[in-house]
């Protein structure tokens, strides 16, 4: 049936038309045209309001089959609409009839108007959000758009359709009367807003990677959680500086980013004045939100994995704060925690990783290391190893399209007079025959043991496996994340470098600051460091 | 004496050809030039027997190959011409019996028992000359249509809806012809310049794009008898990624790239390109103790290759050696020093 609802309702007595089978799913526009024709006919039966025929008349050819349509399809919808309306409208029979005709054309125009309304609402909502956020109130007022909408509808309808002047009145009446109705509209409206936005995000199922990393085009995750719109008023300048640095590519790589993030957090805690009405931990966690939103574009881009780890642990610390203590005590406690974390995760961890790797290198006959682009930990390893061994040779593979960071590594190594060879990705096949071990850096280790690293590292791992040389990945335990991903294609909030995941079967071992582990032991490391989500 | 002068002049001319070309042009053009060189030798040199002709050709060819030892095609063409000479000789002595199956190595041994060696046979040198020149002309023609004939086989190996990955499409004449005659739906070209008629991706994206690919079509620089292939540097990454994702790898090559030589380790052969392509000369002082790796070729082992397309056939790498005996004579490459 055309209308699925209530096709078993009794037909009106005055209908001379016998019900016939309606085509299963007629075109909506078609349907309305036909129904308009019926409405016309009905109006001709009861010309109470002295109206002209509705302008949206179908062609003569349509009206003939339109007459054959059963009225059963029109009445249920009309009855539904009538049910929604308050009893006042139901009382007058001519209103009901006119309501029929109007509801058809109404629906058409409503749909047109709704689209406009959505746009207006979006603008109104963002304007309201900004105003509210400034005042500290983040709730989206649901009523205000609804109140605005009918007025807009009335305005939009008047130039659009040369309809009767009673139409806007009816619409306003229709819209504002029933609270549940307006709720429906706003719910619909908001849903439609997000749907529209989603459709703007160009979700593609056949992602074709292109030459330029056009990060604005990549599909972004829409975080559905509650967030606070970040404005200049509630974001600490330290975070803005961090964001600016990242944008201008002053910070390369996760390591530098993490260090900078630590410093930013310390600054933030130091300058922070808690709100008078809330306990310290709650107030600081509340005010941390807009800072993070500023960095991550309001949840559009996720944070790089290791940074996410840090944020989570920091929030946990805040949560566990003893609010009875003095504020300055709490602040010092937090600052100390951050500094400790930086010390453990950077100075100590790197020392441990370097030691472990060198003990592995000691047992090798030829120390010829193949590495990709620049990882600061790998650089440290090589520099320390060069002091101990004198037969070290380093092969650096670089990606010229993306910053050529291998060259910075090359500089620092050649300054330490370490013999180096430099090549692009097409030289991997040649260099891998000469190297005896591959050393890679990473930005995160996933739960399954997959390594998140710079794009192109997997090619080294692949070639290394083909010639049977070990692949070691230098991974700090703070970069282990309790997530599972197949691929990392998404752009992250702060680091705009292209990354990918190296499958775990291509990696021989992860050199962590705890010990050297095979990639399959990643969950054990997570548990040991209590970085899991359930802790 | 006149022929000595002629020969030396030809020698000079071909050496000049090598010096003039700053950028290496396509292999087919090089093969044609080599064939012309040998053609001229056949035409202008003086010889009485086939053996003499063979000696002259081999001397000149080996000299040229020694000067440019990274160009396998020189030797390949020499071997083709030598085979042509032997064939001509054979057809003339056995009275234009050209129904002998040349590809059968057993027959070679059989014939050695019955027929005298070429140096003992008195044949009409004029006839020999014209015969060999005809043969060379045929071979040249085959080179000219090789790209097209390879592309004709595309329809058997690929479907229109395939997603095809290739390497440096715009630098290979064979591949360009292949893809112009066969319009695949999506073509990814790795490391190409942006004007190529394909989606150009960077080599860092090979592994992630391989998930979407259904076929890999590549061009070979040389095909070795064990089925391994010498290809432009960087192709190894594509082949390894294809192996990982079980994508069939197809190599296209004309017959002039069939090299009857085993290369166990490419280092001995591998040519390095200009270091300034990798590190700009402005940084030469800063990196004075740094060596630059810019290899031109990669050796792709046979187990990574699914199919080798030549203009006459499609063969798995295990059967490529049979093509060798199609084009070359056993006698000639038995004595190669490499």
């Amino acid at each position: 049936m055309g209308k699925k609802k209530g096709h078993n309702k009794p037909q009106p007595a005055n209908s001379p038309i016998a019900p016939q089978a309606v085509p299963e799913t007629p075109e909506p526009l078609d349907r309305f045209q036909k129904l308009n024709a019926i409405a016309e006919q009905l109006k001709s039966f009861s010309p109470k309001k002295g109206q002209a025929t509705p302008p949206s008349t179908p062609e003569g050819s349509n009206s003939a089959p339109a007459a054959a349509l059963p009225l059963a399809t029109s009445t249920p919808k009309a009855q539904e609409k009538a049910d929604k309306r308050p009893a006042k409208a139901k009382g007058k029979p001519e209103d009901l009839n006119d309501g029929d005709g109007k509801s058809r054309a109404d629906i058409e125009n409503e749909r047109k108007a709704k689209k406009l309304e959505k746009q207006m609402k979006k603008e109104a909502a963002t304007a309201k959000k900004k105003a509210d956020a400034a005042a500290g109130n983040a709730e989206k007022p649901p009523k205000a758009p609804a109140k605005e909408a009918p007025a807009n509808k009335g305005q939009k309808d008047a130039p659009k359709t040369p309809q009767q002047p009673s139409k806007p009145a009816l619409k306003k009446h229709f819209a504002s009367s029933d609270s549940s109705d307006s709720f429906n509209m706003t719910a619909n409206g908001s849903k439609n807003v997000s749907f529209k936005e989603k459709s703007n995000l160009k979700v593609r199922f056949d992602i074709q990677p292109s030459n330029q990393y056009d990060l604005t085009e990549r599909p972004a995750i829409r975080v559905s959680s509650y967030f606070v719109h970040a404005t200049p008023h509630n974001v600490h300048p330290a975070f803005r500086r961090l964001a600016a640095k990242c944008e201008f590519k002053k910070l390369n790589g996760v390591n530098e980013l993490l260090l900078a993030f630590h410093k930013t957090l310390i600054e933030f805690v130091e300058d922070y004045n808690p709100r008078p009405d809330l306990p310290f931990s709650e107030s600081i966690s509340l005010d941390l939100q807009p800072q993070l939103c500023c960095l991550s574009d309001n949840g559009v881009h996720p944070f790089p994995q290791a940074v996410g780890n840090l944020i989570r642990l920091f929030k946990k610390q805040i949560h566990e704060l003893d609010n009875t203590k003095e504020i300055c005590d709490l602040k010092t406690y937090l600052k100390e925690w951050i500094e400790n974390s930086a010390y453990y995760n950077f100075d100590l961890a790197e020392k441990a990783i370097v030691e472990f790797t060198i003990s592995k290198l000691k047992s090798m006959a030829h120390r010829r290391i193949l590495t990709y682009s620049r990882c600061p930990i790998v650089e440290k390893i090589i520099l320390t190893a060069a002091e101990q061994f004198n037969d070290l040779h380093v092969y650096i593979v670089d990606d010229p399209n993306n910053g050529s960071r291998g060259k910075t590594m090359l500089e620092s190594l050649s300054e330490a007079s370490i013999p180096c060879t430099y090549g692009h990705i097409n030289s991997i096949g040649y260099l891998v025959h000469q190297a005896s071990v591959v050393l890679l850096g990473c930005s995160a280790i996933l739960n399954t043991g997959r390594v998140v690293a710079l794009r192109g590292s997997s090619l080294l791992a692949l070639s290394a496996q083909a010639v049977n040389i070990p692949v070691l990945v230098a991974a700090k335990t703070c970069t282990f994340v309790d997530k599972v991903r197949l691929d990392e294609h998404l752009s992250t909030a702060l680091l705009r470098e292209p990354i990918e995941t190296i499958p775990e079967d291509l990696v021989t071992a992860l050199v962590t600051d705890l010990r050297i582990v095979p990639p399959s032991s990643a969950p054990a490391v997570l548990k040991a460091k209590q970085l899991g989500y359930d802790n | 004496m006149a022929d000595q002068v002629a020969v030396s002049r030809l020698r000079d001319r071909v050496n000049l050809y090598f010096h003039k070309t700053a950028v290496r042009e396509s292999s087919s053009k090089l093969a044609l030039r080599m064939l012309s060189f040998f053609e001229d030798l056949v035409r202008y040199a003086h010889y009485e027997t086939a053996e003499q002709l063979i000696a002259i050709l081999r001397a000149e060819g080996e000299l040229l190959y020694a000067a440019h030892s990274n160009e396998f095609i020189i030797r390949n063409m020499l071997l083709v011409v030598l085979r042509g000479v032997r064939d001509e000789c054979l057809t003339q002595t056995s009275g234009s019996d050209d129904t002998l199956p040349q590809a059968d190595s057993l027959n070679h041994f059989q014939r050695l028992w019955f027929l005298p060696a070429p140096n003992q046979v008195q044949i009409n040198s004029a006839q020999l000359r014209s015969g060999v020149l005809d043969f060379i002309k045929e071979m040249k023609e085959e080179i000219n249509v090789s790209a097209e004939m390879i592309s004709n086989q595309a329809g058997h190996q690929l479907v229109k809806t395939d997603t095809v990955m290739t390497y440096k499409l715009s630098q290979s004449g064979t591949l360009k012809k292949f893809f112009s005659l066969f319009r695949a739906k999506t073509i990814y070209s790795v490391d190409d310049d942006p004007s190529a008629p394909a989606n150009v991706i960077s080599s860092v994206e090979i592994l992630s794009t391989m998930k979407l690919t259904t076929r890999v079509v590549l061009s070979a620089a040389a095909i070795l008898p064990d089925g391994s292939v010498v290809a432009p540097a960087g192709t190894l990454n594509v082949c390894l990624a294809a192996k990982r994702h079980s994508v069939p790898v197809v190599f296209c090559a004309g017959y002039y790239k069939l090299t009857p030589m085993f290369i166990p380790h490419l280092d001995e052969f591998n040519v390095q390109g200009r270091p300034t392509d990798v590190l700009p000369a402005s940084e030469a002082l800063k990196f004075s103790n740094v060596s630059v790796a810019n290899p031109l070729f990669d050796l792709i082992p046979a187990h990574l290759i699914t199919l080798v397309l030549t203009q006459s056939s499609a063969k798995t790498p295990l059967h490529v050696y049979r093509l060798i005996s199609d084009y070359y004579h056993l006698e000639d490459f038995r004595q190669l020093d490499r």
Side-chain angles (χ1 to χ4, degrees), chain A residues 207 209 420-422 459 505, chain B residues 203 205 211-212 244 286 291 293:
Chain A
I207 295 178
C420 299
T421 310
Y422 179 82
L459 292 175
D505 57 328
Chain B
S203 49
E205 312 208 26
K211 292 191 183 75
L212 314 168
R244 188 174 173 85
K286 192 160 58 164
S291 27

Side-chain angles (χ1 to χ4, degrees), chain A residues 399-449:
Chain A
D399 177 21
N401 300 334
N402 189 32
S404 279
R405 285 197 257 144
K407 274 202 203 154
T408 3
M409 175 107 139
L410 191 63
E411 262 186 66
S412 59
L413 291 185
S414 63
E415 267 169 38
S417 6
I418 302 174
C420 299
T421 310
Y422 179 82
H424 289 324
I425 297 211
N426 62 353
S427 59
I428 289 182
Y430 169 70
L431 293 176
V432 83
H433 284 289
Q434 312 192 348
S436 53
V437 69
V438 173
L439 264 185
L440 294 174
C442 71
S443 63
I445 307 283
L446 302 176
N447 203 354
T448 51

Side-chain angles (χ1 to χ4, degrees), chain A residues 207-210 213 372 399 401 407 411 414 420-422 425-427 430 455 458-459 462 487 503 505-506, chain B residues 186 188 199 201-205 207 211-212 233-234 237 241 244 267 272 278-279 283 286 289 291-293 295:
Chain A
I207 295 178
Q208 293 186 5
S210 61
Y213 294 110
Y372 180 70
D399 177 21
N401 300 334
K407 274 202 203 154
E411 262 186 66
S414 63
C420 299
T421 310
Y422 179 82
I425 297 211
N426 62 353
S427 59
Y430 169 70
R455 208 175 272 243
S458 57
L459 292 175
L462 207 53
D487 264 320
D505 57 328
L506 295 177
Chain B
T186 330
Y188 292 114
N199 300 323
I201 61 175
S202 161
S203 49
V204 288
E205 312 208 26
L207 202 53
K211 292 191 183 75
L212 314 168
N237 294 328
R244 188 174 173 85
D267 282 351
Q272 302 276 340
V278 174
L279 272 183
E283 300 179 2
K286 192 160 58 164
N289 60 341
S291 27
V292 171

Side-chain angles (χ1 to χ4, degrees), chain A residues 212-223:
Chain A
Q212 280 84 32
Y213 294 110
D214 192 357
L215 292 158
T216 51
E217 274 192 13
R218 290 197 185 271
I221 296 178
R222 169 68 56 188
V223 174

